[in-house]
Amino acid sequence: MNRPHRGAAGSRGLGTMEVKSKFGAEFRRFSLERSKPGKFEEFYGLLQHVHKIPNVDVLVGYTDIHGDLLPINNDDNYHKAVSTANPLLRIFIQRKEDADYSAFGTDTMTRKKNVLSNVLRPDNHKKKPHIVISMPQDFRPVSSIIDVDILPETHRRVRLYKYGTDKPLGFYIRDGSSVRVTPHGLEKVPGIFISRLVPGGLAQSTGLLAVNDEVLEVNGIEVSGKSLDQVTDMMIANSRNLIITVRPANQRNNVVRNSRTSGSSSQSTESSLPSSTPNILANFLQGEEESDEEDIIIEDSGEPQQIPKAAPTSESLESLTQIELLHESTQNGFLPSSEMNLDHSAGSISMEYEEQDPDHKSLEEDGTIITL
Amino acid sequence: MRRFLRPGHDPVRERLKRDLFQFNKTVEHGFPHQPSALGYSPFLRLMAIGTRSGAIKLYGAPGVEFMGLHEENNTVMQIHFIPDQCQLVTLLDDNSLHLWSLKQHSGASELREEHRFTLKGPPGSPPSATQITAVLPHSSREVLYLGTESGNIFVVELPSFRVLEDRTITSEAVLQRVPEAHCNRRSCELVEALREHPKNPDHILIGYSRGLIVLWDLQNNKVTHHFLGSQQLENLYWQRDGSKFISCHYDGSHTQWPVSSDNRQPEPLETLVPYGPFPCKAISKIYWQTTKNGLPYIIFQGGMPRASYGDRHSISVVRGSQQTAFDFTSRVIDFFIIFSSEPTAEFDDPSAMVVLAEEELVVIDLKTAGWPAVHPPYLASLHCSAITCSHHVSNIPLKLWERIISAGSKQNIHYSNMPWPIDGGTNIAPDPPQRDLLLTGHEDGTVRFWDASGVCLHLLYKLSTVRVFLTDGDPNDNMNALGEDEWPPLRKVGTFDPYSDDPRLGIQKIYLCKYSGYLTVAGTAGQVLVMELNDEDAEHVVDYAEADLLQDQEGYRWKGHEKLKTRDGPVRFEAGFQPFVLVQCQPPAVVTSLALHSEWKLVAFGTSHGFGLFDHQQKRLVFVKCTLHPSDQLALEGPLSRVKSLKKSLRQSFRRIRRSRVSSRKRRGGSGNASEVQEANAKFDQDALQEMELAPVQRKIEARSAEDSFTGFVRTLYFADTFLRDSSRHCPSLWAGTNGGTVYTFCLRVPPAERRMDEPVRAEQAKEIQLMHRAPVVGILVLDGRGIPLPEPLEVAHDLSKSPDMQGSHQLLVVSEEQFKVFTLPKVSSKLKLKLTALEGCRVRKVTVANFGSCKTDDYSENDLAVLTNLGDIQIISLPFLKLQIRYPCIRKEDVSGIASCVFTKYGQGFYLISPSEFERFSLSTKWLVEPRCVVDMPEVTSNNHVHKSGMENAARKSRSLGDYGEDERKSGRLMEHALLNDEKVLKEIQSTLEGGR
C-alpha cells in the first residue's frame, strides 16, 4: 500500500480506483469507479471475465489496510472493500474447490505492519492453534446481550434468535415473588421467573439465562401485572425473535459498564475482525424485523391437480421467500444453500460478533465474554 | 422499535369514539342459576326469585324486570313482599334481613336495598335463639313478626328494623294456658309457620314444629285458641273467611281445624293422608282455595308414597274428584297460587299456579279444564338440554320472522291460551329496533330459535334433527303415557331434560341465511344437514352424501365414535325447517367450522381432518381437502386416544410418587424401632406434600412447530367474491383457516343461474398461506376497494347493502389467535398487522365485524372488529387500519365456558353464558342498547302516615326532575340519585325524631 502506483496519476479522475486481482499465478489490473462500485455480483462477473474463468466457482478475498485477508462475498463487504481500499484494491481469487478458509482472518498476510495492535493484544500471538474463522455466511447469531448502555447494570436484555435453528428455545417460566424497593420500603411483589432450562436448548446453550432469573420484560413490554399464562403467550408469540429482559439471580456476572466512549475504544482493539460484520449484523437486525412477517404464500399456477408444494414464483419477492433462505438469498445469493453448515460454536460466534456497531446506538456483546 | 410506539391521541377521534362505543351489561336472559326462594305480591302482581348467590330478581309483565344483588352473596332463604307496598324483605342464610324497595328515578323504577338488619339475642343466648325460621309481614305494614328456632316471636318495626321488645311473643306466654299434657318447653320449639287471620289483623296463627298451633291475640297479648296437633307441623293456611284453617304435616297428612268463639281448644274436623296408607313423605306447603261454585282447591307440595314415589318432585292439585300430581323435572323450590286479591271478593277463585323448580319455572292454568301449562314469556330454561353452540342473526326480514313464528305456534298447541298472569308494572322501554334471532344448538340435537330482539328472550320455535337418524331412545317414546286409573295421578310438566339419548346428536355449528331461509347445522358425529323452511308438514327422503376427508391418506385408523345411523326411506317432518340433504364427514369427527352461501347454493364444512365443499343444488360434493399434518396422530385417531394418554400420564405420575417414596424409605431403612419409622414416614409425607405445594406451576416456552397437535383442525371457513388471480377478474372463492396457521384459498366456478343444474361447480386451489407464527386462524375477511367488509350473500340482492366496490383493490384480513394481518389481493403481500399477543399476552377467542352507529348523528356509522380475548376483555379494533379503539373488561378470565359461549351481533351487542341457564346480554354500542326500562306504580295510600311519607317522596321526585339529565343521563342520574338517597335518610331521621317527641 505504500507502493507508489501509476494508476493514480493515470486515473481518469479522483473517483477511480485501481484494482489488482490475482488468480493462481496470474495478475489482472483494472479500475473501478469508486463512487459507483456497482453490485457484488457484477464485480464477481467482471473478475470472472478478466481472468477468463467464466464457469469457475471462486472465492474472492482482499487485503484490508491492516493487511488481513478478508472475504468479499456480498454487496456489503464489497462496498467496504472499495471504500477502504487506499489506494489500490488487492484482490485474491481462489478456486472454491481448493479454497483455504483458514487463509482468511487476522494477520493472514503475515505482515507485521500493525505493531500497535500486536502490542495491545499480545495474547493474540500465543494462541495455538490459530483461531479458525469460517465464512460469515456460515454463521447466524443465536443470542446477544443488547442495550447494555441503557439498562441498569443489574438487568440484562437477552435476544434469542430462534429462526433458522432447529434447537428448541428450551426454557420454562413460573410464578414467584420478588422484593422491590418502593417509597414505602421493601415490598414483596409477584414476579415471573425462569424455572428450568432444557439441556441442549437455545436458552441453555447461550449461557445468558439461568434458573431463577426474574423476567422483567418481553420484547419491550413489562410483564408486571401480567399472569403467567399471559407472559407465556407473549413469549411464544415473540418466539421467532425473543428479547427477554431479566434480573439475573446471579448478579456477579453483570457487565460492568464503562462510559460509552471507553466501551467503544476497548472494542476497537478487536477491530481486526472482518469489517463487513457490522453490516451483516445490521442486516440481521433488519431482517429480523421482517422475519416474523414472512408468512409463506404458495400461489398456484392454476392447474387444478397441482400439488401446492410448487416452488414459489419469484414475482412477489418478500412474501414468496421462504424464511430459511432469506439471508442467504439476499446476501450471498450465489452460494448454494447446501453449503451452509450452521455452526453455533459459541467461541467462534463471539469472535464474529463482538463488535461495536457505530450505526446502531447499542452495544452488542456476546455472553461468552462476560462469563467468569 | 416502532412497534412499541403508541398512536397519538387525536382529539377528534377520541370524541367520535365516545359517540360510538360504550360498554354496558344490560340484562340477564334465561333462568336464574340455583334459585333458592320465591315471593309474590298480589298487590303489585310481581314475582321475586332469590338465588343461592344472593341475587334477587323481580319479574312482572313481559319486559318488566328488576335485579338486585346482596352484598354478602349469601343464599336467599325467604322473600316476603310488604303488603300493599313497593317493598320486600329478604332473609339470607346468615340470618340477616334486607329491606328492598322499588323507587322511581328519572322515569323508571329501580330496585334498591334500603336497610339491613340482623336479629340479636340477649348476651349469652345461643344463636338458635334468634335464628329466624318464619317471617310474617303484618298487613298494617308497620311491623314484621319473626319466628325463631327458640320458639320466641320477635317483632320489628318497619322500615327501621327496630326491635319492639315489649311485643315479643315468648314461648312461656304461649304455654300459660296449654293443657298439662302438652305443657313442656319442647312443644314450643321452632316456629314453623306464622299466618295472619284473613279477616282480623289482630289475630295471628302460630304453628310450632312439634304440632302445637295457637291463635294469638295481638291486642291482648294472649292465646285465644289452642290446636293440639299430634304430628310434626310443616305449614298452615287459612281459609278465606277465617272460619277454618288447614295444617300439613311431616307424615304426609293434612288436617282441617275449625275456629269458633265457643270452643277454645277444638278438635280437628278432618285428617287426610292423600297418598296413604303406606308411609308418605312430608307435605311441606299447602293452599286452600275457595271457589264460587262450591268445590275448593286443595293444593299441596309433596306427600308422595315414600317407598315408590319418594323421589318425585310433585305438587298435587285436588278439586273434588279431580286430582293431578304435577311431576316436576327438578326439585320444587317453592310455589304460589294467583287468586283474587280483592279484599271484598268472597272467594279465592284461583287462576294459576306458579311453581319455581330448581331448573325451570312452570305455570299451570287452573281455570281451563285439564289444567294445561302456560308458556312463560321469560325465564326460559335455556339449558333444558345443554347449550353446545349459539348463532345470532340480526335484522330478520319480516317474512321469515312470521314464518318461523307460525312454525313455532304449531308446536305450542298444548299450551294454555291464558294471558300471562304475572303482569305487574309497565314496560316503558322503546320497541326493539329490529328483529333479532338467537339460535342455540343443544346436546340433544335440537336447535332453538329465540326472539332476542328485546328484554325477554322468548322461544319462537324448536327444531329437532333427531328424526333424520336412528337412535336407541326411539321405541320408548310412550313410556310416560299413563293409564286412566294410575295412582298417584302423576303428570309430567316442564321441559328440562338434560339427558341426551346420544351425545353424537349434539349440534356444533349453525348457519342461517335470513334472506333465503336456508339453514345448515352440523354436529358432533360429522353430520352436516342442509334445511329449507317449509310452512307445511312434509314427508320426504333426505339425500345422503359422504365426504371422505382423509382422501388417499392411508394407514390411519379412526378410534372415535361411529357416524350416526340414518333412517331409510321417507321421513315425516313437521312444518318449519326440514332437512333435504345430509352430508356425512368421514371420519365422523366433530364439525369445527361451517359456512353457507345461499346465492351460490354451496355449503362448506370442516373438521379436524380437513374441509369440503358441497353443492346443495345439484347435491354433489365439489371437493374435499385434507389438512392433516402427517405426524398429527391425535387428530387421526379421534378423541378416545386422548383419554388414554391422560390415563397413562396419570398412572406414570402415581408411579413416580410411589417410587420416590420407596426409595426414601430405603434410605432411612437402617434405623430400628417402629415409631421412628412411622415418624420418618410422617415427616416424609409432610415433606412430599410441601414439595408438591412448592412445586411451581411451570409453563414451557417453545415456538409452535408444524408438528403440534391438531394443526389441521379447520377453524374457519369463508366465502368471498374477490380477486384471486389478477386484479381485473373477480370470482367466487372459498377460504379456510386451520389451527396450524394455514389459510387455503380455492377459486370456484359457479355456473350461471340458467345452467346451474347442468354444469358442475368447479374448484381449484389458488393460494396457500402459512402464517409464520402458526397460531390458529380464527377469522378470515375480505375488504372491498373502500376497505369495507364484503356483504353477506344475497344482502345486495335484497337492497340491504351497497354493492361492494369491485374497482379498487381488495384486501384480505386474516385474524389468528395472536395477530391481525391485512394482505393485499390478488397478489398476497403483507400490508398491516397488529400483534396482539406479543403486545398484551392475550389471545383472540371470538372476533366479528360489527357496525357501530353514532349516537349523535344518524348518518355516521363505521365497521370495526369486536374481539373477545382469552382474558375476557372485549376490544374494538378499527377497520381497515387495525388500530385498537377501546377495551372493556367483560368476563372473568377464569370463566372459560363464559368466554367460549360468547356470541357477538352485527350491531355491537353480544351474549355469553353466565351459568348453564343464563345469557348475559351486553352492548358495546351507544346506539343499540336493549335493556329493561319499566315502571311499577306506587300503591294507593290509606293512612295519614303514609300520605305524609309519599308526599315527601313526591317532593323528592320533583326535586329529582329539576336535575339536568340532558347530556349524560345515565351517569348524572346515578350521582343525583345517590345524593337524594342521603337526603331521604336525613328526612326520615327528622321525621322519626319528631314522632318520638310526640
Side-chain angles (χ1 to χ4, degrees), chain B residues 528 530 543-547 580-583 600-605 612-623 719 734 756 761:
Chain B
V528 179
V530 190
D543 282 298
Y544 180 82
E546 213 163 81
F580 60 93
V581 161
L582 166 65
V583 184
W600 304 335
K601 307 254 191 293
L602 296 173
V603 59
F605 48 88
L613 181 68
F614 189 82
D615 173 359
H616 67 76
Q617 176 99 2
Q618 295 186 20
K619 305 201 171 84
R620 193 183 70 91
L621 191 65
V622 179
F623 76 92
F719 284 109
L734 172 66
R756 183 65 180 80
V761 176

mmCIF file of all heavy atoms in Angstrom, chain B residues 528 530 543-547 580-583 600-605 612-623 719 734 756 761:
data_model
loop_
_atom_site.group_PDB
_atom_site.id
_atom_site.type_symbol
_atom_site.label_atom_id
_atom_site.label_comp_id
_atom_site.label_asym_id
_atom_site.label_seq_id
_atom_site.Cartn_x
_atom_site.Cartn_y
_atom_site.Cartn_z
ATOM 1 N N VAL B 528 -73.669 -33.004 8.626
ATOM 2 C CA VAL B 528 -73.987 -31.652 8.173
ATOM 3 C C VAL B 528 -75.346 -31.739 7.487
ATOM 4 O O VAL B 528 -75.503 -32.466 6.519
ATOM 5 C CB VAL B 528 -72.934 -31.130 7.173
ATOM 6 C CG1 VAL B 528 -73.295 -29.737 6.698
ATOM 7 C CG2 VAL B 528 -71.549 -31.164 7.788
ATOM 8 N N VAL B 530 -78.485 -29.753 5.604
ATOM 9 C CA VAL B 530 -78.926 -28.524 4.941
ATOM 10 C C VAL B 530 -80.449 -28.548 4.935
ATOM 11 O O VAL B 530 -81.058 -29.555 4.581
ATOM 12 C CB VAL B 530 -78.377 -28.426 3.507
ATOM 13 C CG1 VAL B 530 -78.655 -27.040 2.944
ATOM 14 C CG2 VAL B 530 -76.897 -28.722 3.483
ATOM 15 N N ASP B 543 -81.605 -36.714 1.210
ATOM 16 C CA ASP B 543 -80.479 -37.173 0.388
ATOM 17 C C ASP B 543 -79.241 -37.320 1.254
ATOM 18 O O ASP B 543 -79.036 -36.566 2.205
ATOM 19 C CB ASP B 543 -80.215 -36.185 -0.739
ATOM 20 C CG ASP B 543 -81.204 -36.357 -1.859
ATOM 21 O OD1 ASP B 543 -81.214 -37.446 -2.456
ATOM 22 O OD2 ASP B 543 -81.991 -35.415 -2.103
ATOM 23 N N TYR B 544 -78.421 -38.292 0.851
ATOM 24 C CA TYR B 544 -77.253 -38.596 1.677
ATOM 25 C C TYR B 544 -75.992 -38.532 0.834
ATOM 26 O O TYR B 544 -75.955 -39.037 -0.295
ATOM 27 C CB TYR B 544 -77.410 -40.001 2.283
ATOM 28 C CG TYR B 544 -76.261 -40.434 3.158
ATOM 29 C CD1 TYR B 544 -76.198 -40.031 4.484
ATOM 30 C CD2 TYR B 544 -75.246 -41.238 2.653
ATOM 31 C CE1 TYR B 544 -75.141 -40.425 5.297
ATOM 32 C CE2 TYR B 544 -74.193 -41.640 3.456
ATOM 33 C CZ TYR B 544 -74.144 -41.229 4.775
ATOM 34 O OH TYR B 544 -73.103 -41.610 5.576
ATOM 35 N N ALA B 545 -74.971 -37.910 1.346
ATOM 36 C CA ALA B 545 -73.677 -37.882 0.651
ATOM 37 C C ALA B 545 -72.589 -38.031 1.693
ATOM 38 O O ALA B 545 -72.747 -37.577 2.829
ATOM 39 C CB ALA B 545 -73.500 -36.575 -0.105
ATOM 40 N N GLU B 546 -71.498 -38.679 1.311
ATOM 41 C CA GLU B 546 -70.412 -38.867 2.250
ATOM 42 C C GLU B 546 -69.189 -38.114 1.761
ATOM 43 O O GLU B 546 -68.909 -38.096 0.562
ATOM 44 C CB GLU B 546 -70.102 -40.357 2.387
ATOM 45 C CG GLU B 546 -69.640 -40.713 3.786
ATOM 46 C CD GLU B 546 -69.732 -42.209 4.046
ATOM 47 O OE1 GLU B 546 -68.829 -42.942 3.623
ATOM 48 O OE2 GLU B 546 -70.722 -42.612 4.671
ATOM 49 N N ALA B 547 -68.488 -37.455 2.674
ATOM 50 C CA ALA B 547 -67.282 -36.711 2.303
ATOM 51 C C ALA B 547 -66.101 -37.337 3.024
ATOM 52 O O ALA B 547 -65.977 -37.213 4.243
ATOM 53 C CB ALA B 547 -67.432 -35.247 2.700
ATOM 54 N N PHE B 580 -83.070 -31.506 3.767
ATOM 55 C CA PHE B 580 -83.188 -32.212 2.491
ATOM 56 C C PHE B 580 -81.890 -32.893 2.080
ATOM 57 O O PHE B 580 -81.888 -33.729 1.200
ATOM 58 C CB PHE B 580 -83.715 -31.292 1.387
ATOM 59 C CG PHE B 580 -82.850 -30.088 1.093
ATOM 60 C CD1 PHE B 580 -81.895 -30.136 0.098
ATOM 61 C CD2 PHE B 580 -83.012 -28.914 1.818
ATOM 62 C CE1 PHE B 580 -81.105 -29.029 -0.181
ATOM 63 C CE2 PHE B 580 -82.225 -27.804 1.542
ATOM 64 C CZ PHE B 580 -81.276 -27.858 0.548
ATOM 65 N N VAL B 581 -80.777 -32.521 2.729
ATOM 66 C CA VAL B 581 -79.515 -33.186 2.420
ATOM 67 C C VAL B 581 -78.745 -33.422 3.706
ATOM 68 O O VAL B 581 -78.714 -32.559 4.579
ATOM 69 C CB VAL B 581 -78.654 -32.332 1.467
ATOM 70 C CG1 VAL B 581 -77.214 -32.757 1.517
ATOM 71 C CG2 VAL B 581 -79.142 -32.424 0.044
ATOM 72 N N LEU B 582 -78.152 -34.608 3.799
ATOM 73 C CA LEU B 582 -77.237 -34.894 4.900
ATOM 74 C C LEU B 582 -75.876 -35.202 4.291
ATOM 75 O O LEU B 582 -75.747 -36.113 3.473
ATOM 76 C CB LEU B 582 -77.746 -36.100 5.707
ATOM 77 C CG LEU B 582 -76.743 -36.732 6.675
ATOM 78 C CD1 LEU B 582 -76.359 -35.765 7.791
ATOM 79 C CD2 LEU B 582 -77.314 -38.008 7.296
ATOM 80 N N VAL B 583 -74.879 -34.401 4.667
ATOM 81 C CA VAL B 583 -73.510 -34.701 4.248
ATOM 82 C C VAL B 583 -72.796 -35.264 5.469
ATOM 83 O O VAL B 583 -72.794 -34.653 6.532
ATOM 84 C CB VAL B 583 -72.778 -33.429 3.749
ATOM 85 C CG1 VAL B 583 -71.394 -33.792 3.234
ATOM 86 C CG2 VAL B 583 -73.579 -32.733 2.671
ATOM 87 N N TRP B 600 -74.921 -18.981 -4.096
ATOM 88 C CA TRP B 600 -74.236 -19.981 -4.908
ATOM 89 C C TRP B 600 -74.721 -21.394 -4.597
ATOM 90 O O TRP B 600 -74.314 -22.348 -5.230
ATOM 91 C CB TRP B 600 -72.721 -19.903 -4.684
ATOM 92 C CG TRP B 600 -72.143 -18.547 -4.941
ATOM 93 C CD1 TRP B 600 -72.671 -17.591 -5.761
ATOM 94 C CD2 TRP B 600 -70.961 -17.995 -4.379
ATOM 95 N NE1 TRP B 600 -71.872 -16.474 -5.732
ATOM 96 C CE2 TRP B 600 -70.803 -16.683 -4.901
ATOM 97 C CE3 TRP B 600 -69.996 -18.467 -3.478
ATOM 98 C CZ2 TRP B 600 -69.747 -15.861 -4.553
ATOM 99 C CZ3 TRP B 600 -68.939 -17.636 -3.145
ATOM 100 C CH2 TRP B 600 -68.819 -16.328 -3.677
ATOM 101 N N LYS B 601 -75.547 -21.511 -3.564
ATOM 102 C CA LYS B 601 -76.087 -22.812 -3.141
ATOM 103 C C LYS B 601 -74.973 -23.790 -2.776
ATOM 104 O O LYS B 601 -74.953 -24.931 -3.215
ATOM 105 C CB LYS B 601 -76.974 -23.416 -4.242
ATOM 106 C CG LYS B 601 -78.063 -22.455 -4.731
ATOM 107 C CD LYS B 601 -79.408 -22.866 -4.195
ATOM 108 C CE LYS B 601 -80.556 -22.132 -4.847
ATOM 109 N NZ LYS B 601 -80.592 -20.702 -4.548
ATOM 110 N N LEU B 602 -74.037 -23.278 -2.007
ATOM 111 C CA LEU B 602 -72.893 -24.089 -1.604
ATOM 112 C C LEU B 602 -72.803 -24.108 -0.084
ATOM 113 O O LEU B 602 -73.125 -23.120 0.571
ATOM 114 C CB LEU B 602 -71.600 -23.508 -2.177
ATOM 115 C CG LEU B 602 -71.461 -23.504 -3.701
ATOM 116 C CD1 LEU B 602 -70.218 -22.741 -4.107
ATOM 117 C CD2 LEU B 602 -71.412 -24.923 -4.238
ATOM 118 N N VAL B 603 -72.377 -25.226 0.453
ATOM 119 C CA VAL B 603 -72.119 -25.295 1.881
ATOM 120 C C VAL B 603 -70.715 -25.872 2.092
ATOM 121 O O VAL B 603 -70.324 -26.831 1.435
ATOM 122 C CB VAL B 603 -73.219 -26.091 2.629
ATOM 123 C CG1 VAL B 603 -73.335 -27.496 2.099
ATOM 124 C CG2 VAL B 603 -72.971 -26.119 4.116
ATOM 125 N N ALA B 604 -69.950 -25.224 2.950
ATOM 126 C CA ALA B 604 -68.596 -25.678 3.248
ATOM 127 C C ALA B 604 -68.545 -26.099 4.706
ATOM 128 O O ALA B 604 -69.182 -25.483 5.557
ATOM 129 C CB ALA B 604 -67.588 -24.564 2.985
ATOM 130 N N PHE B 605 -67.788 -27.154 4.972
ATOM 131 C CA PHE B 605 -67.720 -27.687 6.335
ATOM 132 C C PHE B 605 -66.304 -28.156 6.598
ATOM 133 O O PHE B 605 -65.596 -28.553 5.670
ATOM 134 C CB PHE B 605 -68.712 -28.849 6.503
ATOM 135 C CG PHE B 605 -68.631 -29.851 5.383
ATOM 136 C CD1 PHE B 605 -67.754 -30.916 5.429
ATOM 137 C CD2 PHE B 605 -69.413 -29.681 4.245
ATOM 138 C CE1 PHE B 605 -67.648 -31.805 4.377
ATOM 139 C CE2 PHE B 605 -69.312 -30.565 3.186
ATOM 140 C CZ PHE B 605 -68.436 -31.625 3.244
ATOM 141 N N GLY B 612 -64.512 -29.625 3.211
ATOM 142 C CA GLY B 612 -65.119 -29.990 1.946
ATOM 143 C C GLY B 612 -66.127 -28.955 1.516
ATOM 144 O O GLY B 612 -66.553 -28.111 2.305
ATOM 145 N N LEU B 613 -66.484 -29.012 0.237
ATOM 146 C CA LEU B 613 -67.472 -28.093 -0.316
ATOM 147 C C LEU B 613 -68.559 -28.924 -0.968
ATOM 148 O O LEU B 613 -68.269 -29.839 -1.744
ATOM 149 C CB LEU B 613 -66.804 -27.172 -1.345
ATOM 150 C CG LEU B 613 -67.715 -26.126 -1.986
ATOM 151 C CD1 LEU B 613 -68.136 -25.088 -0.965
ATOM 152 C CD2 LEU B 613 -66.993 -25.450 -3.158
ATOM 153 N N PHE B 614 -69.806 -28.611 -0.652
ATOM 154 C CA PHE B 614 -70.926 -29.382 -1.174
ATOM 155 C C PHE B 614 -71.875 -28.452 -1.906
ATOM 156 O O PHE B 614 -72.199 -27.363 -1.427
ATOM 157 C CB PHE B 614 -71.646 -30.078 -0.004
ATOM 158 C CG PHE B 614 -72.692 -31.062 -0.450
ATOM 159 C CD1 PHE B 614 -72.339 -32.346 -0.819
ATOM 160 C CD2 PHE B 614 -74.024 -30.694 -0.507
ATOM 161 C CE1 PHE B 614 -73.296 -33.252 -1.244
ATOM 162 C CE2 PHE B 614 -74.986 -31.594 -0.926
ATOM 163 C CZ PHE B 614 -74.627 -32.883 -1.303
ATOM 164 N N ASP B 615 -72.297 -28.907 -3.076
ATOM 165 C CA ASP B 615 -73.251 -28.157 -3.883
ATOM 166 C C ASP B 615 -74.645 -28.679 -3.533
ATOM 167 O O ASP B 615 -75.006 -29.786 -3.919
ATOM 168 C CB ASP B 615 -72.904 -28.401 -5.363
ATOM 169 C CG ASP B 615 -73.935 -27.810 -6.298
ATOM 170 O OD1 ASP B 615 -74.916 -27.227 -5.809
ATOM 171 O OD2 ASP B 615 -73.744 -27.938 -7.519
ATOM 172 N N HIS B 616 -75.420 -27.898 -2.787
ATOM 173 C CA HIS B 616 -76.692 -28.471 -2.346
ATOM 174 C C HIS B 616 -77.789 -28.300 -3.385
ATOM 175 O O HIS B 616 -78.909 -28.772 -3.210
ATOM 176 C CB HIS B 616 -77.099 -27.960 -0.953
ATOM 177 C CG HIS B 616 -77.434 -26.520 -0.864
ATOM 178 N ND1 HIS B 616 -78.601 -26.003 -1.307
ATOM 179 C CD2 HIS B 616 -76.760 -25.482 -0.319
ATOM 180 C CE1 HIS B 616 -78.637 -24.700 -1.064
ATOM 181 N NE2 HIS B 616 -77.517 -24.352 -0.469
ATOM 182 N N GLN B 617 -77.472 -27.616 -4.459
ATOM 183 C CA GLN B 617 -78.429 -27.545 -5.560
ATOM 184 C C GLN B 617 -78.380 -28.854 -6.350
ATOM 185 O O GLN B 617 -79.386 -29.512 -6.554
ATOM 186 C CB GLN B 617 -78.074 -26.368 -6.459
ATOM 187 C CG GLN B 617 -78.937 -26.249 -7.689
ATOM 188 C CD GLN B 617 -80.030 -25.220 -7.493
ATOM 189 O OE1 GLN B 617 -80.114 -24.583 -6.456
ATOM 190 N NE2 GLN B 617 -80.875 -25.064 -8.477
ATOM 191 N N GLN B 618 -77.167 -29.216 -6.765
ATOM 192 C CA GLN B 618 -77.023 -30.466 -7.525
ATOM 193 C C GLN B 618 -76.840 -31.667 -6.607
ATOM 194 O O GLN B 618 -76.739 -32.790 -7.068
ATOM 195 C CB GLN B 618 -75.823 -30.367 -8.462
ATOM 196 C CG GLN B 618 -75.978 -29.331 -9.555
ATOM 197 C CD GLN B 618 -74.815 -29.394 -10.547
ATOM 198 O OE1 GLN B 618 -74.119 -30.397 -10.634
ATOM 199 N NE2 GLN B 618 -74.617 -28.315 -11.279
ATOM 200 N N LYS B 619 -76.725 -31.414 -5.316
ATOM 201 C CA LYS B 619 -76.497 -32.457 -4.312
ATOM 202 C C LYS B 619 -75.257 -33.271 -4.686
ATOM 203 O O LYS B 619 -75.290 -34.485 -4.831
ATOM 204 C CB LYS B 619 -77.724 -33.348 -4.159
ATOM 205 C CG LYS B 619 -78.965 -32.516 -3.836
ATOM 206 C CD LYS B 619 -80.052 -33.334 -3.194
ATOM 207 C CE LYS B 619 -81.177 -32.470 -2.680
ATOM 208 N NZ LYS B 619 -82.167 -32.106 -3.694
ATOM 209 N N ARG B 620 -74.169 -32.527 -4.845
ATOM 210 C CA ARG B 620 -72.934 -33.154 -5.300
ATOM 211 C C ARG B 620 -71.782 -32.576 -4.490
ATOM 212 O O ARG B 620 -71.734 -31.365 -4.222
ATOM 213 C CB ARG B 620 -72.731 -32.835 -6.786
ATOM 214 C CG ARG B 620 -71.655 -33.656 -7.489
ATOM 215 C CD ARG B 620 -71.514 -33.192 -8.937
ATOM 216 N NE ARG B 620 -70.920 -31.864 -8.993
ATOM 217 C CZ ARG B 620 -69.597 -31.654 -9.085
ATOM 218 N NH1 ARG B 620 -68.759 -32.670 -9.134
ATOM 219 N NH2 ARG B 620 -69.122 -30.427 -9.131
ATOM 220 N N LEU B 621 -70.876 -33.434 -4.122
ATOM 221 C CA LEU B 621 -69.691 -32.985 -3.399
ATOM 222 C C LEU B 621 -68.730 -32.365 -4.411
ATOM 223 O O LEU B 621 -68.385 -33.001 -5.404
ATOM 224 C CB LEU B 621 -69.036 -34.182 -2.708
ATOM 225 C CG LEU B 621 -67.936 -33.878 -1.699
ATOM 226 C CD1 LEU B 621 -68.498 -33.127 -0.505
ATOM 227 C CD2 LEU B 621 -67.272 -35.168 -1.241
ATOM 228 N N VAL B 622 -68.321 -31.120 -4.199
ATOM 229 C CA VAL B 622 -67.454 -30.453 -5.178
ATOM 230 C C VAL B 622 -66.006 -30.881 -4.974
ATOM 231 O O VAL B 622 -65.336 -31.296 -5.895
ATOM 232 C CB VAL B 622 -67.594 -28.925 -5.079
ATOM 233 C CG1 VAL B 622 -66.684 -28.236 -6.076
ATOM 234 C CG2 VAL B 622 -69.051 -28.518 -5.308
ATOM 235 N N PHE B 623 -65.513 -30.777 -3.754
ATOM 236 C CA PHE B 623 -64.167 -31.270 -3.482
ATOM 237 C C PHE B 623 -63.988 -31.445 -1.980
ATOM 238 O O PHE B 623 -64.779 -30.948 -1.180
ATOM 239 C CB PHE B 623 -63.092 -30.312 -4.029
ATOM 240 C CG PHE B 623 -62.894 -29.069 -3.194
ATOM 241 C CD1 PHE B 623 -61.934 -29.022 -2.183
ATOM 242 C CD2 PHE B 623 -63.675 -27.942 -3.415
ATOM 243 C CE1 PHE B 623 -61.763 -27.886 -1.417
ATOM 244 C CE2 PHE B 623 -63.511 -26.800 -2.646
ATOM 245 C CZ PHE B 623 -62.549 -26.773 -1.640
ATOM 246 N N PHE B 719 -66.731 -17.561 2.502
ATOM 247 C CA PHE B 719 -66.963 -17.403 1.064
ATOM 248 C C PHE B 719 -66.779 -15.938 0.701
ATOM 249 O O PHE B 719 -67.239 -15.053 1.438
ATOM 250 C CB PHE B 719 -68.400 -17.799 0.719
ATOM 251 C CG PHE B 719 -68.655 -19.282 0.698
ATOM 252 C CD1 PHE B 719 -69.411 -19.891 1.692
ATOM 253 C CD2 PHE B 719 -68.148 -20.071 -0.326
ATOM 254 C CE1 PHE B 719 -69.652 -21.250 1.668
ATOM 255 C CE2 PHE B 719 -68.398 -21.432 -0.349
ATOM 256 C CZ PHE B 719 -69.144 -22.028 0.644
ATOM 257 N N LEU B 734 -63.485 -19.755 -1.877
ATOM 258 C CA LEU B 734 -63.672 -20.316 -0.541
ATOM 259 C C LEU B 734 -62.348 -20.238 0.197
ATOM 260 O O LEU B 734 -61.306 -20.602 -0.342
ATOM 261 C CB LEU B 734 -64.125 -21.780 -0.633
ATOM 262 C CG LEU B 734 -64.177 -22.538 0.703
ATOM 263 C CD1 LEU B 734 -65.250 -21.958 1.615
ATOM 264 C CD2 LEU B 734 -64.436 -24.015 0.485
ATOM 265 N N ARG B 756 -77.354 -23.698 -13.976
ATOM 266 C CA ARG B 756 -76.885 -24.091 -12.648
ATOM 267 C C ARG B 756 -77.006 -25.590 -12.417
ATOM 268 O O ARG B 756 -76.172 -26.181 -11.734
ATOM 269 C CB ARG B 756 -77.670 -23.305 -11.591
ATOM 270 C CG ARG B 756 -77.240 -23.550 -10.151
ATOM 271 C CD ARG B 756 -75.824 -23.057 -9.902
ATOM 272 N NE ARG B 756 -75.420 -23.288 -8.513
ATOM 273 C CZ ARG B 756 -75.008 -24.462 -8.050
ATOM 274 N NH1 ARG B 756 -74.966 -25.518 -8.854
ATOM 275 N NH2 ARG B 756 -74.633 -24.593 -6.782
ATOM 276 N N VAL B 761 -70.172 -27.402 -10.429
ATOM 277 C CA VAL B 761 -69.370 -26.359 -9.787
ATOM 278 C C VAL B 761 -67.933 -26.868 -9.749
ATOM 279 O O VAL B 761 -67.696 -28.028 -9.418
ATOM 280 C CB VAL B 761 -69.883 -26.094 -8.359
ATOM 281 C CG1 VAL B 761 -68.995 -25.088 -7.652
ATOM 282 C CG2 VAL B 761 -71.321 -25.627 -8.382
#
